[in-house]
Amino acid sequence: MAPSGINNSIEIPLRDTDEVIELDLTQLPDVKEVLNILTQENTVLHIWITLALEYYKQGKVEDFVQLLESARTSANLNYTNHEKDQMVCLDTLAAYYVQRARDEKHKERRTELFMQATQLYTMADKIIMYDQNHLLGRACFCLLEGDKMDQADAQFNFVMNQTPDNIPSLLGKACISFNKKDYKGALAYYKKALRTNPKCPADVRLGMAHCFYKLGKLDRARQAFNRTLELQKDNVGALVGIALLDLNNGDVESIRNGITLLSRGYQIDSSNPMVLNHLANHFFFKKDYDRVRHLALHAFHNTENEAVQAESCYQLARSFHIQDDYDQAFQYYYQSTQFATSSFVLPFYGLGQMYIDKGDAQDHDRAAECFEKVLKAYPNNYETMKILGSLYAQSEDSAKQEAAKKHLKKVTDLYPDDVEAWIELAQLLERQPSTTTNDGVQGALKAYGKATSIVRESVKADVPPEILNNIAALHFRLRNLNEAKKYYQVALERCQEQRTTDSRYYSSIMVTMQYNMGRLCEEMFQFEEADSYYKIVLRTNKNYIDCCLRLGCMKRDQGQIYDASEWFKEALEINSNHADAWSLIGNLHLSKQEWGPGQKKFERILKSESTQNDSYSMLALGNVWLQTLHHPTRDKDKEKRHQDRALAMFKQVLRNDPKNIFAANGIGAVLAHKGYIREARDIFAQVREATAEVPDVWINLAHVYMEQRQYISAVQMYENCMRKFKRRREPELLVHLARAYFKCGKLQDCKKTLLKARHVAPHDSSVLYNISCVLKQVGMSALTNEKSDLATVLKAISELKLAQEYFTHLSRNGDRMKFDLNQAATEASKCRDLLSQAQNIKERAQRQDDEERKLKDEQEKEKQQIREKAEEDKRVRIRLQEEKIRAMMEQRAQIRDKTKAWIHVEAEEREKKKGSKRKSKVVDDLIDDGSSDSGGAPGEKRKRTGGDASARKRKRPRKEGGGERKRDGERSSKKKANQESQLSAKQKTKIKSRAYISESDSSIASDNDDAAPVTSSAPPRLVSSSSDSESDVGQAPHPGTVQARPNFDDSDSEGAQTPQSDNNDDEQKHDNDQGVGYASSDDEQPQYQHQNKVSDEDEDSD
């Protein structure tokens, strides 16, 4: 802005002279006169601007605009720095338009002013773009437009880069940060501006207060608001801020202070929309709805801020809402949602309630959308989740039902004591299929159980009879009939008790419970009780038509067709157009195969306007026409006519209900009758894929397989149908299965199936006829088969006689509607012919049976002889084996006796040598063995080891064959180590040395001429286990000697020298003279491999 001059006057230079015209700024002339002077004297631009600002200060806004607009074209620019004055002129005029646009109420006029300001700022940009004042003005304009906040931020940043302490830039940045919800950043900018200039306007403190409030620092916010009021007592924003803080405290005194402050703000500025809205909110709770509407309307018209307008509309809407003016409320709720920000969801809540009140399905969907927006802003809002759960629960869409279940379960989790939520959840679950124990009927029962426990424990009240009735109905669906009866009885008693409080209501719900009790007794086969309950209902409510229908159905099921018809007619007296009653009467006629009367009943239903598109009646008529096709006729035109009528009925049902599977099944049946078997099969397959719970489709598929001669598939389909639908005792289905067995040649299975049907329906002559045919076929097959034995032939003759009797009986007493009696007589005659030929077949079978028996006896004798011979051979083998074992035992006894003698000799020799001492211990000492047979000189020597167990052993170089002897020694040491561990202490003291016999000792051969030479065939001897212990510690055999060890396995002697005895040569000779041998067969060796230890008997004998 150009300064207005130092004095209160301004001088306008005259053209081409030095004179001036002085204008008093306090008494400015008419703007037209000034314009003439400025134009005639060609005055420079900055004087124009100064005069325009003076007019603006004096409130002459139109003169201000006129001067600046004229200055743009008429001012003198022939001076230095005139560009800056041009920019100031444009920016000043643009700022004026921006200010007018901010106060403008009409949107179109405001847009026009914004366009003018934009044009002026653009022209100024072309003169000087980066002037600070120009950028600040442009940034403020962008900030006011709202959608150019980033552009304003960039311009403020540019100014702050040049002048960091520029206060307008700091305040602009603070405003931008606040709008971006960066409250800490906004507070920092406000603080910086305040530090830069502590004498900033009070609005800076007001901005800080709002930042503190958003940050949750309410005490600091209150201090800032109070400081604002100290600086500017009439600051309405500060008054509203303190008032809101007081109102939010909730206590009476604070609320009173808040209302006082709002009233004060209203006195200062009665058009302030914030004050008006908060006062309207206050008067809403005071129930002064007229004043609410007055204040809210003023607030709405005094602001262009959409958020404030949304709150004004909300106040208006709820004032109409509470006064039941739903049309006005709906209008203002809707208008509020158009202005509201994403965080202001209260109008959506009210709008959703208005949509619910409208009641249409589409309105419910719109209501759900509104509440979804509320739930998005407040995810755990209890009321919103509960309402959404109720809305979605009413829908038939499975996805919405799942959403309802999710919301209601969340409500029950957050507020487990909410009885209404549990009941809503139970009512939803009982409509859904049961997948787990927490879904479907089981889940509904659990939810009802939780609700009843809350009522008893928390509310301390009796469970309402309505809930008890629902629980009983669920038990009825689960076939818990006794449990359902108990709940029904309790519910009836509760109604009887509470009839005194509201007789009309409880009497009405008792009717429903009594009817339910009748249905329950009917299912429990308690027909008398069911009859009494139905009649009780009819006594109090004569027009309760369902009771008449149920009584008729009970009579029908008991076979009392006439009484059933009477009850159905009584129902028609109550309502002559009742479709169910006419349908039940029509079905009675069809069950008696009275097609004409039944057809008329269903046609009457279709003639009524209310039931002209009744699918059940159309299906029944289609079935009537289809049923006539099952009876063969020679009139092909009539058959085709009936096919077309049945097809037309089924098609009409599909047009009305494209998902009707019964109509599709009927179309498939008609096509099958027309001969389109493949197309019929495709239709039946599609119907079965759609639902597997209709048995007719399974049966029709099996029929199609029969027509296609796929008899095995037909059998499987019939059996699957009987197993799945538990129809094993249905005569018609059993006959179909028997026919399939007959076609695939399984006559025995066919006969069994027909006998089952005979047991189920003993009076059905068609079943007996089929049994006779099968008996005849089975008998004929057996008689014509040359391989049939006598028993089969006799059984076939018996069955043929029975079939003849059956056919004879049926030809006289059969049902002409089911089969031809003459054909039965013909079949009886065929049976007689077969029986007349059966005698020859029987004789042939007798002869064949005798021959087979004779051959069998001969074979049996041969088998017996073979068995006796095998037993004799077995006895011989056992005897020989016993003899071998006995011989082995005798040999073992001899070995034991010789071992005892050897031990006794060793003991005597120790006694003789006991007194002698040796100076040194030599491994190869020579001792006298004391043999009486050898007669050897005293100088005869034997190798032996020292008696001391700790004697030092000397290693000898090995000779040829030593490797094999060492391996034999190792095997012997392993066996004898086991023996040693089994000897007693007394036995161990008797074992002193281990002898080695030299193969090259010539003295032995010379002294013992009669002794047998030591060769590999010499029998092994038992030796003491003390030598094994010495061998274990490193004893090696002498060079040229063979280590002796016990061995009962002949396989070890092959390819190696036989181990020799530890006794002297005379004992060896004595053993050979005795002729003791140990040769045994391989199969007997395992019995003797482990006899190489001294027995306990030996020890005792010693």
Side-chain angles (χ1 to χ4, degrees):
M1 297 290 180
S4 60
I6 299 175
N7 299 320
N8 291 330
S9 63
I10 186 171
E11 295 179 351
I12 301 174
L14 296 177
R15 181 185 295 184
D16 299 332
T17 63
D18 295 333
E19 297 178 358
V20 296
I21 297 175
E22 185 176 358
L23 295 177
D24 186 3
L25 297 180
T26 58
Q27 296 179 358
L28 289 172
D30 185 65
V31 69
K32 292 181 180 180
E33 184 180 350
V34 174
L35 282 174
N36 290 330
I37 296 172
L38 294 175
T39 303
Q40 291 176 3
E41 302 302 331
N42 196 19
T43 308
V44 292
L45 181 58
H46 68 84
I47 296 177
W48 290 70
I49 296 172
T50 302
L51 286 171
L53 291 175
E54 289 299 327
Y55 276 104
Y56 182 80
K57 290 177 182 179
Q58 294 178 15
K60 299 176 181 180
V61 179
E62 294 179 358
D63 297 343
F64 161 78
V65 174
Q66 189 174 1
L67 277 173
L68 289 182
E69 288 289 350
S70 300
R72 292 172 55 191
T73 57
S74 304
N76 182 8
L77 303 179
N78 296 324
Y79 62 94
T80 307
N81 295 331
H82 69 276
E83 293 88 354
K84 186 170 183 179
D85 290 338
Q86 275 185 297
M87 180 201 68
V88 170
C89 178
L90 295 172
D91 286 349
T92 304
L93 189 57
Y96 167 74
Y97 287 138
V98 170
Q99 186 175 1
R100 281 191 58 188
R102 186 184 63 179
D103 299 332
E104 182 60 48
K105 300 296 187 295
H106 298 288
K107 189 173 183 180
E108 295 179 357
R109 178 59 181 160
R110 183 172 63 251
T111 304
E112 183 180 349
L113 292 172
F114 276 152
M115 291 179 62
Q116 291 178 352
T118 303
Q119 183 179 4
L120 293 170
Y121 277 125
T122 304
M123 294 173 64
D125 284 341
K126 296 178 180 179
I127 299 172
I128 301 177
M129 179 178 287
Y130 298 109
D131 182 81
Q132 286 190 5
N133 292 329
H134 169 69
L135 291 174
L136 288 173
R138 185 66 181 266
C140 291
F141 173 52
C142 294
L143 194 61
L144 183 63
E145 285 185 293
D147 57 346
K148 297 181 180 180
M149 196 170 293
D150 294 335
Q151 186 176 347
D153 189 35
Q155 292 171 354
F156 283 134
N157 287 332
F158 183 83
V159 174
M160 288 181 65
N161 289 334
Q162 296 180 354
T163 308
D165 295 334
N166 186 278
I167 291 177
S169 298
L170 292 172
L171 296 179
K173 290 286 290 181
C175 183
I176 292 172
S177 298
F178 189 90
N179 287 328
K180 291 182 177 180
K181 298 183 180 180
D182 182 13
Y183 305 120
K184 288 185 178 180
L187 184 60
Y189 286 120
Y190 280 129
K191 288 181 177 180
K192 187 174 180 180
L194 194 59
R195 284 194 296 268
T196 303
N197 183 10
K199 295 182 180 181
C200 281
D203 288 339
V204 177
R205 306 271 183 181
L206 183 62
M208 293 176 64
H210 284 296
C211 291
F212 284 126
Y213 183 85
K214 291 293 186 180
L215 291 171
K217 300 178 180 180
L218 303 182
D219 294 336
R220 297 293 300 276
R222 185 181 291 275
Q223 292 175 4
F225 283 132
N226 288 328
R227 178 58 179 162
T228 303
L229 287 177
E230 291 176 2
L231 297 176
Q232 184 181 355
K233 293 182 179 181
D234 60 348
N235 191 298
V236 179
L239 291 171
V240 173
I242 297 173
L244 288 179
L245 291 174
D246 290 336
L247 290 173
N248 290 336
N249 285 337
D251 58 280
V252 178
E253 188 63 28
S254 298
I255 292 174
R256 187 178 291 112
N257 293 335
I259 297 303
T260 302
L261 290 172
L262 288 175
S263 300
R264 182 179 165 190
Y266 181 75
Q267 292 173 359
I268 295 171
D269 185 4
S270 60
S271 62
N272 188 289
M274 290 189 299
V275 175
L276 294 172
N277 280 334
H278 289 298
L279 284 174
N281 184 64
H282 167 69
F283 286 113
F284 177 82
F285 291 105
K286 297 288 286 185
K287 298 183 180 180
D288 190 351
Y289 305 120
D290 293 335
R291 188 170 293 183
V292 170
R293 287 194 288 270
H294 175 76
L295 294 170
L297 280 172
H298 277 279
F300 179 81
H301 292 297
N302 288 330
T303 184
E304 290 298 318
N305 188 293
E306 291 185 350
V308 179
Q309 286 180 331
E311 188 172 354
S312 300
C313 291
Y314 172 71
Q315 296 295 342
L316 286 166
R318 67 176 183 167
S319 68
F320 287 114
H321 187 177
I322 202 169
Q323 290 182 311
D324 296 334
D325 189 353
Y326 294 148
D327 293 335
Q328 290 289 333
F330 176 81
Q331 178 181 350
Y332 282 109
Y333 276 135
Y334 184 80
Q335 192 171 358
S336 179
T337 58
Q338 302 303 306
F339 295 132
T341 60
S342 59
S343 60
F344 186 53
V345 294
L346 290 176
F348 287 100
Y349 194 92
L351 184 61
Q353 291 174 312
M354 295 299 100
Y355 278 126
I356 291 175
D357 179 70
K358 289 182 179 294
D360 296 337
Q362 294 181 352
D363 291 327
H364 282 184
D365 293 339
R366 296 191 185 100
E369 292 176 3
C370 293
F371 287 114
E372 286 288 357
K373 293 179 180 179
V374 178
L375 193 64
K376 184 177 180 181
Y378 300 95
N380 293 323
N381 185 263
Y382 161 72
E383 291 85 358
T384 307
M385 287 190 293
K386 193 172 179 180
I387 293 174
L388 275 174
S390 299
L391 286 174
Y392 288 144
Q394 298 173 15
S395 174
E396 298 298 330
D397 188 2
S398 59
K400 290 184 179 180
Q401 289 184 1
E402 286 298 321
K405 183 168 66 174
K406 176 182 175 183
H407 289 310
L408 291 174
K409 283 187 175 181
K410 192 171 182 180
V411 170
T412 55
D413 291 340
L414 294 175
Y415 302 93
D417 293 335
D418 190 338
V419 178
E420 292 181 357
W422 284 109
I423 294 174
E424 288 268 6
L425 180 61
Q427 291 175 348
L428 172 64
L429 291 176
E430 68 185 15
R431 296 162 51 198
Q432 294 184 331
S434 298
T435 54
T436 64
T437 56
N438 294 323
D439 292 331
V441 178
Q442 294 283 0
L445 274 177
K446 291 182 180 179
Y448 276 127
K450 185 66 177 177
T452 55
S453 64
I454 293 171
V455 171
R456 293 193 191 99
E457 298 171 5
S458 301
V459 185
K460 304 295 183 183
D462 294 331
V463 179
E466 298 91 335
I467 296 179
L468 295 174
N469 178 75
N470 293 346
I471 294 174
L474 293 178
H475 280 296
F476 180 84
R477 290 174 59 183
L478 291 174
R479 313 305 296 171
N480 301 330
L481 303 182
N482 293 323
E483 196 72 14
K485 189 172 184 179
K486 181 180 72 174
Y487 277 102
Y488 278 136
Q489 290 173 348
V490 174
L492 286 170
E493 293 173 0
R494 197 68 50 79
C495 286
Q496 196 69 32
E497 294 172 359
Q498 297 182 2
R499 285 179 69 178
T500 56
T501 58
D502 190 350
S503 176
R504 183 175 181 180
Y505 172 73
Y506 285 104
S507 297
S508 64
I509 65 174
M510 277 184 67
V511 172
T512 301
M513 294 178 188
Q514 288 168 346
Y515 175 79
N516 290 343
M517 275 294 290
R519 288 288 296 117
L520 176 64
C521 293
E522 190 178 343
E523 289 295 324
M524 297 176 72
F525 302 103
Q526 299 172 0
F527 298 114
E528 294 181 0
E529 292 186 27
D531 185 271
S532 63
Y533 276 113
Y534 290 140
K535 289 181 179 179
I536 288 172
V537 174
L538 286 175
R539 278 197 296 269
T540 56
N541 297 271
K542 295 182 179 180
N543 295 329
Y544 205 110
I545 196 170
D546 288 339
C547 289
C548 296
L549 297 179
R550 292 312 310 167
L551 286 168
C553 290
M554 286 172 58
K555 296 298 182 182
R556 178 200 61 194
D557 296 339
Q558 293 172 1
Q560 303 175 14
I561 304 300
Y562 177 78
D563 293 338
S565 177
E566 291 298 320
W567 278 112
F568 295 149
K569 290 178 181 178
E570 187 172 341
L572 289 176
E573 291 178 1
I574 299 172
N575 183 2
S576 60
N577 294 322
H578 198 277
D580 291 343
W582 285 110
S583 297
L584 289 170
I585 294 176
N587 288 333
L588 285 179
H589 289 296
L590 296 183
S591 65
K592 297 173 66 175
Q593 297 185 354
E594 297 173 354
W595 312 116
Q599 175 185 345
K600 291 179 180 179
K601 301 301 184 292
F602 291 112
E603 287 176 348
R604 190 190 185 288
I605 296 173
L606 294 177
K607 289 179 181 178
S608 177
E609 291 184 3
S610 59
T611 57
Q612 60 182 354
N613 292 321
D614 185 64
S615 298
Y616 185 85
S617 301
M618 291 181 182
L619 288 172
L621 284 175
N623 289 332
V624 168
W625 299 118
L626 184 63
Q627 191 69 30
T628 59
L629 300 178
H630 296 165
H631 302 287
T633 178
R634 296 181 179 179
D635 190 349
K636 298 300 180 181
D637 294 335
K638 182 179 179 181
E639 182 178 3
K640 185 176 183 304
R641 225 173 21 250
H642 289 183
Q643 291 175 353
D644 294 339
R645 288 178 182 177
L647 193 60
M649 285 296 174
F650 293 135
K651 286 183 177 180
Q652 181 63 33
V653 174
L654 277 182
R655 279 193 290 269
N656 297 335
D657 182 10
K659 295 183 179 180
N660 194 299
I661 58 174
F662 300 101
N665 182 57
I667 291 175
V670 174
L671 291 177
H673 278 286
K674 285 192 169 192
Y676 300 105
I677 304 299
R678 183 175 300 175
E679 290 78 2
R681 186 190 63 183
D682 295 339
I683 291 176
F684 292 142
Q686 292 177 14
V687 173
R688 194 178 67 159
E689 289 178 3
T691 177
E693 303 301 324
V694 179
D696 294 346
V697 181
W698 296 64
I699 297 173
N700 289 339
L701 269 175
H703 291 343
V704 168
Y705 287 140
M706 289 291 294
E707 293 295 328
Q708 293 180 332
R709 298 185 180 182
Q710 300 177 14
Y711 303 124
I712 301 299
S713 299
V715 169
Q716 293 176 352
M717 189 61 67
Y718 284 131
E719 290 179 343
N720 291 338
C721 178
M722 296 170 69
R723 182 169 53 252
K724 179 177 178 61
F725 299 102
K726 299 180 181 179
R727 301 176 65 174
R728 298 180 183 275
R729 298 177 61 83
E730 186 172 327
E732 184 179 359
L733 195 54
L734 287 170
V735 170
H736 290 320
L737 178 61
R739 180 171 176 267
Y741 278 132
F742 187 85
K743 289 293 184 179
C744 62
K746 296 182 179 181
L747 298 179
Q748 294 299 327
D749 292 333
C750 175
K751 184 175 73 172
K752 291 178 182 178
T753 305
L754 287 173
L755 289 175
K756 290 180 182 178
R758 177 70 172 164
H759 292 156
V760 176
H763 302 293
D764 191 342
S765 58
S766 63
V767 175
L768 185 60
Y769 182 87
N770 290 330
I771 291 176
S772 304
C773 292
V774 172
L775 290 175
K776 173 199 164 189
Q777 186 67 28
V778 171
M780 186 172 62
S781 299
L783 293 178
T784 54
N785 187 2
E786 296 181 357
K787 296 182 180 180
S788 299
D789 56 8
L790 181 61
T792 304
V793 171
L794 293 176
K795 185 177 180 181
I797 293 173
S798 175
E799 290 178 345
L800 280 173
K801 289 180 180 180
L802 186 60
Q804 179 190 353
E805 294 175 1
Y806 285 160
F807 281 130
T808 303
H809 170 75
L810 292 172
S811 64
R812 298 170 184 171
N813 304 313
D815 188 352
R816 296 180 180 275
M817 300 298 295
K818 295 183 179 180
F819 56 87
D820 188 2
L821 301 184
N822 295 328
Q823 183 65 30
T826 303
E827 294 294 334
S829 176
K830 290 181 180 179
C831 290
R832 280 193 297 272
D833 294 341
L834 288 172
L835 286 172
S836 63
Q837 302 172 10
Q839 187 62 32
N840 297 331
I841 299 173
K842 179 180 176 182
E843 293 175 357
R844 184 197 65 193
Q846 184 69 46
R847 291 193 300 271
Q848 185 177 353
D849 186 68
D850 293 340
E851 293 175 358
E852 289 180 355
R853 187 178 294 107
K854 183 178 179 180
L855 179 62
K856 186 177 181 181
D857 291 341
E858 292 177 355
Q859 292 176 349
E860 191 65 30
K861 288 180 181 179
E862 292 178 358
K863 290 180 181 179
Q864 184 64 25
Q865 292 175 358
I866 293 172
R867 282 196 296 270
E868 290 176 355
K869 183 177 180 180
E871 290 177 358
E872 182 65 24
D873 294 342
K874 183 178 180 181
R875 284 195 294 271
V876 171
R877 285 197 304 270
I878 293 173
R879 186 172 62 254
L880 292 175
Q881 187 175 3
E882 289 177 352
E883 291 176 357
K884 288 182 181 180
I885 293 173
R886 195 178 300 110
M888 289 295 179
M889 293 300 292
E890 291 175 356
Q891 292 175 1
R892 181 177 180 277
Q894 293 176 3
I895 292 171
R896 186 171 63 239
D897 294 341
K898 291 181 180 181
T899 303
K900 289 180 181 179
W902 175 75
I903 293 172
H904 182 68
V905 171
E906 286 291 330
E908 289 179 354
E909 194 148 330
R910 273 199 311 274
E911 291 294 332
K912 291 177 182 181
K913 302 297 182 178
K914 188 174 182 181
S916 62
K917 294 184 179 179
R918 296 180 183 275
K919 295 182 180 181
S920 61
K921 296 180 179 180
V922 181
V923 177
D924 295 331
D925 286 343
L926 299 176
I927 61 172
D928 189 1
D929 59 1
S931 175
S932 60
D933 295 333
S934 64
E940 189 177 358
K941 299 178 181 179
R942 294 275 186 184
K943 286 184 181 180
R944 74 180 192 89
T945 59
D948 192 355
S950 62
R952 183 176 302 171
K953 309 297 188 297
R954 289 183 300 176
K955 296 184 179 179
R956 299 286 186 179
R958 296 174 182 167
K959 288 188 179 181
E960 197 174 29
E964 295 181 0
R965 289 194 297 271
K966 178 147 181 88
R967 283 193 297 272
D968 293 339
E970 290 175 355
R971 287 195 296 269
S972 176
S973 64
K974 290 179 182 178
K975 292 184 179 181
K976 292 181 180 180
N978 295 330
Q979 284 183 329
E980 185 177 3
S981 63
Q982 298 176 359
L983 294 178
S984 65
K986 184 177 178 181
Q987 289 173 333
K988 289 180 180 180
T989 58
K990 296 178 181 180
I991 300 172
K992 297 300 182 179
S993 64
R994 181 175 184 178
Y996 292 88
I997 302 175
S998 173
E999 294 178 345
S1000 62
D1001 194 347
S1002 60
S1003 62
I1004 297 176
S1006 62
D1007 295 337
N1008 300 288
D1009 296 331
D1010 297 333
V1014 179
T1015 65
S1016 60
S1017 62
R1021 295 292 187 92
L1022 285 177
V1023 297
S1024 64
S1025 60
S1026 63
S1027 62
D1028 290 336
S1029 63
E1030 293 175 0
S1031 173
D1032 289 333
V1033 297
Q1035 176 67 42
H1038 249 284
T1041 64
V1042 179
Q1043 184 179 358
R1045 65 183 177 90
N1047 188 0
F1048 292 91
D1049 192 351
D1050 291 341
S1051 62
D1052 291 340
S1053 64
E1054 295 180 3
Q1057 292 185 2
T1058 304
Q1060 309 233 345
S1061 168
D1062 287 341
N1063 291 336
N1064 54 28
D1065 295 324
D1066 295 326
E1067 291 175 339
Q1068 180 181 355
K1069 178 181 177 182
H1070 176 72
D1071 292 339
N1072 291 331
D1073 292 339
Q1074 294 294 327
V1076 179
Y1078 293 91
S1080 63
S1081 61
D1082 293 336
D1083 58 345
E1084 295 170 349
Q1085 288 178 7
Q1087 300 180 17
Y1088 302 98
Q1089 283 182 356
H1090 302 291
Q1091 301 296 329
N1092 54 351
K1093 72 172 182 177
V1094 179
S1095 65
D1096 293 339
E1097 293 179 358
D1098 299 338
E1099 181 181 355
D1100 295 339
S1101 65
D1102 292 339

